[in-house]
Amino acid sequence: MAEDLKSKVMTTDAGRPVGDNQNSLTVGPRGPVVFEDYLLFEKMAHFNRERIPERVVHAKGSGAYGTFTVTSTEINKYTTAKLFEKTGKQTPTFIRFSTVGGEKGSADSERDPRGFALKFYTEEGNWDMVGNNTPVFFIRDPLKFSDFIHTQKRDPETNLKSPTMMWDFWSLSPESLHQVTILFSDRGTPDGYRHMDGFSSHTFSLINAKGELFYCKWHFKTRQGIKNFTREEADQMKSVDMDHSQSDLFGAIEKGDFPKWKVSVQIMPEAEAETYHINPFDLTKVWPHGDYPLIEVGELELNRNPVNYFAEVEQAAFEPRNVVPGMGFSPDKMLQGRLISYPDAHRYRLGVNYDTLPVNAPKCPYHTYHTDGTMRFESKSGPNYEPNSFGGPTQDKKFNERPTTLPNPTVARWDHREHDGDYFTQPGNLFRLMAPDAQERLCGNIAASLGKVEKRIQDLQISHFYKCDPKYGEGIAKAIGRDIKEIVKAEELVAAK
């Protein structure tokens, strides 16, 4: 069976042989994904339809309504977005927290990243900030997203979660090291949603009144303080309250203990993105705060629970393509993939008119020519085409997107490991920032999972950790009962072949 698998060439659904399943088709090594990438869209479209009716990822979650209040207007140097125009201005919001890999019935305390998705109901339309509680992710190319998520779900043969699938993929994808280090640290098991930070993770952009573009990353710092479970406490909570994060959030808001987050942004001028020593559009890396410090913008407060979970939380649909004038996107490949994947997933899961549901609809006036489709409930008269001579809504060129200049117009499947293969410095820096007891827990958490897989996968993965920091690799090897010298020597021999 194994020999048969090795002899087969991967193809598309139509049988076309695939020459590169590791890199999306982009405009230069740092440019955006192009629409003709048939393989990416085939994989993402198929992936979005694999499971019904729950979300493919982020299936279990909690939601709440709140208010965003501007506390500083410094951001107005970088954007014309009206929600930031004056101190004290408030915008209603809705948030959905979630675990990522688990099903709807899974435990809230599982070791997993947490979704941190916000919908701002602004006067210029909805702004959806669809992020996580981590500033980075496991991969940097959307072509690998479905492959990665498959390793976090259940083995198709046993229907069990598989450490082998996870570590096999991670060991062959060293770009995952930064996020793996966060996942298996104390922050991989947050004590409820109120005690964790949120991040846009992706690089977005802001445009000011002069037409100048600035790249940005959003940060939401909890006012409640970071609070995490140890691995043992997280496991114990599964038997005490499977819905701990849900009950904690709902209960706090119910009794008037409204959770808050400080909202800040990092800003990078457009010209600096071309020469900065770190690819600013690489989702596996952070922007050092010493180079791009946090700029305070406002405060988020959650102050109202939903009345009906299904209508307001289960049917909530967030999508990173929802930005307002004065905001834009970036060549972040993972973001580019999500711009298409998210609305496609919503149309499949909720129906083509998902964005007219009360929790998803804008609070400002909006006018489109979209008609018909499943669950269309509005009674609309007039033409359903544009242009028309009957006074229907028309375009306004002042809202055209700002033109984007790309430094390298060559379209190809650029190998990101060839152009930028340093996946060891930042996770190594993160490891060295941890206190000795936190380092010990991190190594123990990894060993508890990695120790269940076969030695060849252990060897490759531990050699990656060793490159981040020798103490990192040594600590995991010791916790598994392995000799780090033998592992490093064996991997050096493999690399030399």
Side-chain angles (χ1 to χ4, degrees):
M1 179 66 177
E3 288 300 315
D4 290 342
L5 286 174
K6 290 181 179 179
S7 65
K8 292 180 179 178
V9 174
M10 177 183 170
T11 72
T12 66
D13 288 348
R16 174 175 175 169
V18 173
D20 186 345
N21 186 46
Q22 311 305 316
N23 305 286
S24 291
L25 202 61
T26 61
V27 183
R30 293 193 177 188
V33 173
V34 298
F35 201 74
E36 70 183 70
D37 194 345
Y38 62 90
L39 182 60
L40 168 62
F41 297 138
E42 175 184 287
K43 290 180 69 174
M44 292 307 299
H46 185 92
F47 178 66
N48 281 338
R49 291 160 174 80
E50 285 182 356
R51 293 173 178 85
I52 58 172
E54 68 180 31
R55 290 169 168 86
V56 179
V57 287
H58 299 275
K60 186 178 185 184
S62 304
Y65 292 95
T67 304
F68 168 73
T69 304
V70 177
T71 57
S72 170
T73 56
E74 185 176 354
I75 192 174
N76 290 317
K77 295 187 294 187
Y78 309 108
T79 180
T80 59
K82 291 182 179 179
L83 78 157
F84 306 120
E85 62 187 357
K86 61 181 179 180
T87 302
K89 183 168 183 175
Q90 295 189 327
T91 299
T93 64
F94 180 79
I95 194 169
R96 185 177 185 270
F97 302 107
S98 57
T99 53
V100 177
E103 300 92 351
K104 285 186 66 176
S106 60
D108 284 350
S109 58
E110 292 279 3
R111 185 172 300 280
D112 204 3
R114 302 298 192 271
F116 196 103
L118 269 165
K119 191 179 292 289
F120 295 77
Y121 302 102
T122 88
E123 64 202 272
E124 299 179 289
N126 289 351
W127 168 34
D128 288 1
M129 203 299 298
V130 190
N132 284 327
N133 72 326
T134 60
V136 296
F137 197 59
F138 299 93
I139 54 174
R140 58 182 292 185
D141 193 306
L143 196 65
K144 304 308 300 174
F145 184 72
S146 58
D147 295 310
F148 164 66
I149 295 298
H150 285 159
T151 73
Q152 306 301 298
K153 294 291 186 177
R154 295 181 179 273
D155 186 303
E157 179 182 2
T158 65
N159 197 40
L160 298 171
K161 292 294 185 75
S162 170
T164 296
M165 292 199 307
M166 292 191 303
W167 289 106
D168 188 35
F169 182 89
W170 287 336
S171 69
L172 297 169
S173 308
E175 61 267 32
S176 65
L177 283 164
H178 199 169
Q179 177 75 319
V180 166
T181 300
I182 296 174
L183 177 63
F184 283 88
S185 74
D186 295 341
R187 296 202 182 196
T189 48
D191 183 352
Y193 297 130
R194 295 184 300 129
H195 296 282
M196 67 182 194
D197 293 339
F199 304 87
S200 66
S201 305
H202 291 297
T203 300
F204 287 88
S205 60
L206 300 172
I207 302 98
N208 66 14
K210 299 177 182 178
E212 298 169 325
L213 184 142
F214 302 86
Y215 291 113
C216 69
K217 286 180 179 285
W218 293 95
H219 297 250
F220 295 73
K221 298 293 185 180
T222 176
R223 299 283 198 189
Q224 291 70 240
I226 296 291
K227 189 177 178 182
N228 302 304
F229 290 127
T230 64
R231 173 161 45 96
E232 295 77 14
E233 289 170 339
D235 289 341
Q236 173 67 16
M237 182 55 71
K238 295 176 189 177
S239 63
V240 175
D241 183 1
M242 293 276 287
D243 305 312
H244 167 70
S245 297
Q246 165 74 15
S247 56
D248 177 74
L249 178 67
F250 191 95
I253 295 174
E254 187 79 358
K255 67 182 181 183
D257 183 11
F258 301 145
K260 299 178 176 66
W261 284 261
K262 178 182 177 181
V263 183
S264 301
V265 66
Q266 286 181 288
I267 299 290
M268 177 186 291
E270 181 182 24
E272 292 182 19
E274 296 182 19
T275 57
Y276 190 56
H277 68 281
I278 297 170
N279 180 353
F281 314 121
D282 179 353
L283 187 56
T284 67
K285 297 190 175 71
V286 298
W287 296 358
H289 290 195
D291 293 341
Y292 300 100
L294 294 181
I295 298 171
E296 181 177 345
V297 179
E299 182 177 76
L300 170 70
E301 176 187 89
L302 303 182
N303 47 35
R304 180 164 64 92
N305 281 316
V307 175
N308 182 282
Y309 182 89
F310 180 81
E312 300 169 84
V313 183
E314 187 62 22
Q315 294 193 119
F318 303 86
E319 42 193 303
R321 69 171 182 166
N322 286 346
V323 295
V324 297
M327 295 182 177
F329 311 116
S330 81
D332 181 334
K333 297 175 187 177
M334 287 293 291
L335 172 60
Q336 297 266 321
R338 292 177 83 196
L339 296 178
I340 294 172
S341 177
Y342 272 56
D344 182 55
H346 300 328
R347 293 185 189 104
Y348 168 66
R349 192 174 69 88
L350 300 172
V352 70
N353 290 306
Y354 69 92
D355 49 4
T356 64
L357 294 170
V359 71
N360 299 323
K363 306 305 181 190
C364 65
Y366 63 101
H367 312 281
T368 78
Y369 286 96
H370 295 160
T371 59
D372 304 338
T374 305
M375 301 298 288
R376 171 66 70 173
F377 59 87
E378 302 146 301
S379 298
K380 297 176 69 174
S381 60
N384 63 350
Y385 58 90
E386 196 281 331
N388 65 75
S389 60
F390 297 96
T394 59
Q395 65 190 28
D396 187 335
K397 292 186 176 181
K398 73 179 181 182
F399 295 110
N400 272 352
E401 292 85 355
R402 178 185 180 274
T404 300
T405 302
L406 300 173
N408 190 338
T410 303
V411 175
R413 294 192 184 276
W414 297 89
D415 186 342
H416 56 77
R417 294 182 188 175
E418 178 182 330
H419 289 270
D420 177 12
D422 181 10
Y423 301 113
F424 309 103
T425 298
Q426 289 203 351
N429 290 340
L430 179 59
F431 177 81
R432 288 181 284 274
L433 282 174
M434 297 180 184
D437 60 330
Q439 291 179 348
E440 185 176 353
R441 287 194 298 274
L442 168 64
C443 293
N445 292 338
I446 292 174
S449 178
L450 186 60
K452 300 174 183 177
V453 309
E454 53 191 281
K455 287 186 176 181
R456 64 178 182 84
I457 296 176
Q458 290 179 359
D459 289 354
L460 180 55
Q461 185 64 51
I462 292 174
S463 71
H464 293 325
F465 289 129
Y466 187 85
K467 291 177 184 176
C468 296
D469 189 289
K471 290 183 179 179
Y472 195 178
E474 290 167 6
I476 297 167
K478 181 179 179 181
I480 294 178
R482 302 288 308 282
D483 185 339
I484 187 64
K485 293 181 180 178
E486 290 183 4
I487 292 173
V488 172
K489 183 177 180 180
E491 285 307 306
E492 287 176 347
L493 290 174
V494 171
K497 290 182 180 180

